């Protein structure tokens, strides 16, 4: 990432708050409406779908007695809230910022927390980094540790700065520069955390990361690794704060190192090409020193499994602990706080799910699921085997996230936080997981969101971005639910190249940007027509980033299938991915990843041209809505401007264009969401005439 140069408009000021009465704390034992309840006669407003959830995040203190969450009060910045699970009325709003949002929070110990910031709800070109602050559970000993302004000349690389973080007076503090961020907490009961410093070369590209241990009260810093391998991109630290694993990346090679047993130096464990299939990577470490990893194991191409490495016997074959049919393991582990034993794991397959190896936890999951039958339920606990209270995080395709407390002794359930209380589950559309065969037989994971109607419906085919990421998640999702509330069937396909379904599925999408990937989307669309779900005469394709690119290519290649298209922040010219001076693409990706996964600018030049909407603009005749952010550095707005001009020059008079001056790669500002999705609704209404 390149360092911004524009001056900041002022450092974020923190306000430490007192007790807060939370209106959505309830004593109910059941909160979800019946899925068969009738939908509201009037569709919910745009704002209900796209504003921040009222509560999100959620992390338990090490003793399991306190829950830290981020709250988003109406019209205000997000706040850090701490909930005493045994005394809900004493919930406190500890911290809010006056011009930034609290983003992520972590417990350092049972008394102290750290958090960073972001811009979550403001369209702005104001530069800021994540920063890092620490505060006690009672609001005391508030301290900033890392600067949050990446372009402020007041802070030199030694960290000297003036900070106005008190309402009473300005005081001098020593801050680490913005290049530092949280790596992990030290799980030894101390007030220390592990920070990593991201180092950049002369071109602004990430080059390596170093580690330090810092006390969150005194800010005293201790460098952790003096003899690190070159070009470390990822570190693994244990519960005592010691660095035990390192992953390096240099040119087209990746290497994994383990700390030597004698405590000095590093031994190479494995080296491979960057794009080698199923390279193992760190996930977590037990207090006993065993390292949990994710990788191909013995079955390359079948999906990545949860693996176990004994660092005392690094040459032994990795033990396979868990493999999920048709899916890569993506999730987090639940380790016993005292013994370090693996109790279970939360992961995502067709839906979010949990697996428990411990019989008591397996029985607890069954009790919770019996009490909450209409949702997917994830148990959050720290001392899982001994705590009488656990937190349950629940959701479904119609129900947005909610937090509840389950009392193991009384077997009682109490809902405490609803993330989106304004969303009524009974008014939402069902979302169905299906697998659809592509024309070459590849099975495509697909989500179908259907309004309550048996008739063939006007349809929006929604294409995810990435493209090498997973797009489909069975949960409440703003865009498909918004479109369904307006009467549209929504089809979402994880086309070849999507991550999460095994490396064979992902690699099938290499160099298939405008061909095989788009064909998969079309095959899913035709399936929906054949099933009688979609009205063949009223189908529009839409997406952001890669999804915007694919929408334009689908209009070009399949004009008989799609009546219109919507592209926001979409790539228009594949050559610009390599040459744009405004792009944030790093040197490693441009030199080694993209030529393999997208296409080589020289060897595949003609293919890139044929698969660039800009080069094929004269073939795009359908109505097209285009929206871009003026400060987008992932897909600079020149992609949109050039495509708009080419379409107009070719005679397409059905192009609608909007540029948001202070938005980047996607929308943050509430007014932007309201404007854009209002445009989408009117555009679809004109061209698909939803009933």
């Amino acid at each position: 990432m390149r360092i911004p140069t524009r001056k900041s408009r002022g450092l974020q000021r923190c306000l430490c708050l007192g007790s807060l009465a939370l209106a959505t704390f309830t004593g109910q034992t059941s909160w979800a409406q019946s899925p068969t309840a009738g939908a509201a006669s009037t569709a919910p407003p745009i704002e209900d779908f796209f504003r921040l959830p009222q509560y999100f995040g959620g992390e338990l203190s090490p003793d399991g007695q306190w829950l830290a969450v981020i709250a988003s009060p109406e019209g205000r910045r997000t706040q850090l809230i701490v909930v005493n699970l045994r005394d809900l009325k004493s919930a406190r709003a500890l911290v809010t910022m006056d011009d930034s949002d609290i983003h992520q929070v972590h417990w350092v110990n049972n008394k102290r927390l750290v958090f960073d910031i972001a811009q979550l709800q403001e369209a702005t070109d104001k530069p800021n980094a994540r920063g890092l602050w620490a505060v006690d559970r009672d609001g005391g000993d508030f301290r900033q540790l890392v600067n949050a302004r990446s372009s402020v000349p007041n802070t030199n690389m030694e960290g000297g700065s003036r900070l106005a973080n008190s309402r009473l007076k300005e005081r001098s503090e020593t801050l680490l520069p913005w290049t530092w961020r949280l790596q992990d907490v030290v799980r030894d009961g101390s007030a220390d955390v592990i920070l990593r410093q991201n180092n950049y070369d002369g071109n602004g590209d990430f080059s390596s990361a170093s580690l330090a241990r810092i006390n969150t009260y005194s800010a005293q810093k201790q460098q952790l690794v003096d003899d690190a391998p070159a070009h470390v991109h990822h570190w693994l630290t244990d519960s005592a704060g010691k660095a035990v694993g390192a992953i390096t990346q240099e040119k087209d090679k990746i290497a994994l190192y383990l700390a030597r047993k004698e405590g000095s130096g590093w031994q190479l464990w494995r080296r491979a090409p960057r794009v080698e299939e199923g390279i193992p990577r760190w996930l977590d470490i037990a207090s006993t020193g065993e390292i949990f990893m994710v990788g191909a194991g013995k079955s390359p191409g079948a999906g990545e499994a949860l693996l176990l490495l004994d660092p005392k016997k690094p040459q032994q074959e990795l033990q396979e602990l868990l493999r999920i049919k048709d899916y890569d393991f993506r999730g987090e582990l639940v380790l016993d706080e005292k013994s370090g034993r693996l109790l279970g794991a939360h992961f995502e397959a067709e839906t979010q799910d949990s697996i428990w190896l411990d019989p008591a936890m397996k029985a607890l999951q069954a009790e919770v699921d019996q009490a909450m039958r209409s949702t997917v339920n994830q148990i959050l606990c720290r001392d899982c085997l001994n705590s009488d209270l656990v937190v349950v995080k629940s959701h479904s395709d119609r129900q947005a996230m909610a937090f509840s407390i389950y009392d193991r002794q009384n077997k009682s359930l109490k809902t405490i936080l609803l993330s989106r209380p304004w969303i009524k589950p009974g008014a939402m559309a069902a979302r169905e997981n299906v697998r659809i065969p592509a024309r070459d037989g590849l099975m495509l994971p697909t989500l179908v969101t259907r309004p309550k109607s048996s008739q063939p419906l006007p349809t929006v085919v929604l294409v995810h971005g990435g493209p090498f990421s997973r797009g489909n998640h069975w949960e409440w999702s703003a865009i498909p639910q918004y479109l369904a509330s307006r009467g549209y069937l929504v089809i979402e396909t994880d086309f070849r190249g999507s991550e999460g379904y095994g490396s064979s599925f992902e690699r099938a999408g290499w160099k298939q940007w405008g061909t095989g990937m788009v064909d998969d989307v079309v095959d899913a669309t035709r399936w929906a027509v054949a099933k009688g779900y979609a009205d063949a005469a009223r189908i529009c394709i839409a997406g952001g980033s890669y999804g915007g690119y694919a929408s334009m290519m689908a209009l070009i290649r399949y004009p008989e299938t799609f009546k219109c298209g919507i592209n926001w922040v979409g790539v228009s010219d594949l050559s610009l991915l390599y040459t744009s001076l405004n792009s944030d693409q790093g040197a490693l990706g441009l030199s080694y990843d993209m030529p393999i996964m997208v296409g080589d600018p020289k060897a595949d030049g003609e293919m890139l041209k044929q698969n660039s909407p800009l080069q094929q603009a004269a073939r795009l005749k359908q109505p097209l809505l285009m929206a871009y952010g003026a400060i987008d550095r992932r897909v600079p707005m020149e992609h949109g401007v050039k495509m708009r001009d080419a379409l107009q020059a070719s005679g397409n008079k059905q192009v609608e264009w909007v540029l948001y001056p202070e938005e980047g790669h996607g929308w943050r500002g509430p007014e932007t969401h309201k404007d854009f999705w209002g445009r989408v609704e009117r555009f679809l209404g004109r061209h698909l005439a939803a009933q």
Side-chain angles (χ1 to χ4, degrees), residues 362-670:
K362 186 181 296 186
L364 175 61
Q365 183 74 55
E367 290 177 12
V368 169
D369 290 343
Q370 178 67 23
M372 309 175 79
R373 298 185 182 184
S374 63
T375 53
V376 172
N377 309 306
Q378 185 182 88
I379 297 172
L380 307 182
C381 54
R382 296 296 292 261
D383 186 5
C384 296
L385 299 181
N386 300 302
S387 298
D388 58 338
L389 298 180
V390 297
V391 172
V392 181
K393 188 167 67 171
S394 304
H395 75 274
S396 73
D397 55 341
R398 303 182 188 188
Q399 171 65 56
M401 193 69 67
F403 292 91
S404 303
I405 298 175
Y406 186 75
D407 188 322
R408 299 168 80 167
Q409 301 299 321
N410 300 328
K411 301 190 184 305
S412 62
L413 187 73
K414 180 184 294 184
T415 300
I416 59 171
L417 297 172
L418 301 176
S419 65
R420 299 178 187 269
W422 53 86
I423 293 294
K424 307 306 178 186
M428 296 293 104
R431 310 185 71 213
E432 181 185 3
N433 276 308
V434 295
R435 293 245 174 180
I436 295 169
R439 62 193 65 181
D440 63 357
L442 188 67
M443 299 304 292
L444 306 173
T446 301
L447 264 175
V448 181
T449 304
R450 283 201 287 170
K452 296 170 183 176
S453 173
S454 59
Q455 301 299 317
L457 292 169
T459 298
V460 178
V461 177
L462 197 60
V463 188
H464 72 72
F468 302 104
S469 59
R470 179 170 175 170
N472 290 346
H473 306 278
W474 190 84
E475 60 190 10
W476 186 91
S477 184
I479 297 177
Q481 288 291 3
Y482 168 69
L483 293 171
S485 75
R486 270 56 182 171
Y488 298 101
L489 174 77
V490 182
I491 305 294
E492 300 171 88
T493 291
D494 272 345
F495 43 79
R496 67 192 65 212
S498 300
E499 187 263 354
Y501 305 100
S503 60
S504 294
F505 189 91
E506 184 173 348
R507 287 166 180 254
W510 287 5
K511 296 189 179 182
Q512 295 291 310
W513 266 51
T515 53
M517 290 178 171
V518 171
D519 293 343
D520 289 346
V521 173
V522 172
D523 290 347
T525 305
R526 291 173 174 171
W527 170 88
V529 171
K531 293 286 287 186
Y533 300 157
D535 182 344
R538 295 189 293 168
I539 302 176
C540 189
I541 187 166
S545 193
Y546 170 82
Y549 159 86
S551 296
M552 292 188 290
M553 282 305 301
L555 293 174
I556 291 166
R557 293 189 54 221
Y558 293 95
E560 74 285 354
T561 301
F562 302 106
K563 189 173 182 180
C564 57
I566 302 168
N567 152 38
W568 64 97
V569 300
V571 172
S572 70
D573 188 355
L574 296 184
S575 66
L576 272 177
L577 292 176
Y578 299 88
T579 61
S580 175
L581 297 177
N582 297 313
S583 173
D584 65 356
Q585 295 290 342
L588 284 175
L590 289 172
S591 300
Y592 300 104
D593 298 344
M594 287 174 54
I596 293 174
M597 302 171 75
V598 181
D600 186 280
K602 294 181 179 179
D604 301 312
E606 184 58 29
M607 179 193 74
L608 297 181
K609 180 179 179 181
Q610 292 298 318
N611 292 323
S612 291
L614 181 62
Q615 305 301 326
Q616 309 297 324
R619 297 168 56 191
L620 200 162
K621 305 295 186 183
Q622 303 95 313
L624 178 66
L625 172 60
M626 303 177 67
Y628 284 80
I631 58 172
D632 190 348
R633 296 187 64 230
R634 179 54 49 91
V635 179
M637 72 172 182
E638 60 188 300
H639 281 268
V641 172
K642 290 184 175 182
M643 186 67 189
R644 177 201 64 189
D645 294 347
L647 288 170
Q648 291 175 347
S650 68
N652 190 334
K653 300 184 182 301
Q654 302 182 88
V655 176
E656 298 182 32
W657 166 265
V658 58
L659 179 69
Y660 296 110
E662 292 192 319
E663 292 285 7
H665 196 62
W667 320 139
R668 291 181 301 191

Side-chain angles (χ1 to χ4, degrees), residues 230-303:
H231 309 292
V232 175
H233 278 226
H234 302 283
W235 290 100
L236 177 68
T237 56
D238 63 16
S239 59
K242 178 185 176 183
V244 296
I247 300 178
T248 68
Q249 294 186 48
E250 184 178 9
K251 296 183 177 180
D252 63 340
K253 295 292 189 294
I254 186 170
L256 289 83
Y257 291 84
L258 295 172
R260 295 188 184 278
K261 299 176 185 177
E262 56 271 21
S264 177
W266 298 84
Q267 65 182 46
L268 177 65
W269 179 65
R270 187 165 299 185
R271 188 190 302 273
R274 278 168 58 86
V275 295
E276 181 172 296
E277 189 173 2
I279 302 172
R281 59 191 181 279
W282 324 125
L283 177 64
D284 207 339
I285 182 169
S287 58
T288 55
E290 294 178 312
I291 297 174
F292 298 96
M293 311 189 77
V294 174
K298 300 178 182 179
S299 306

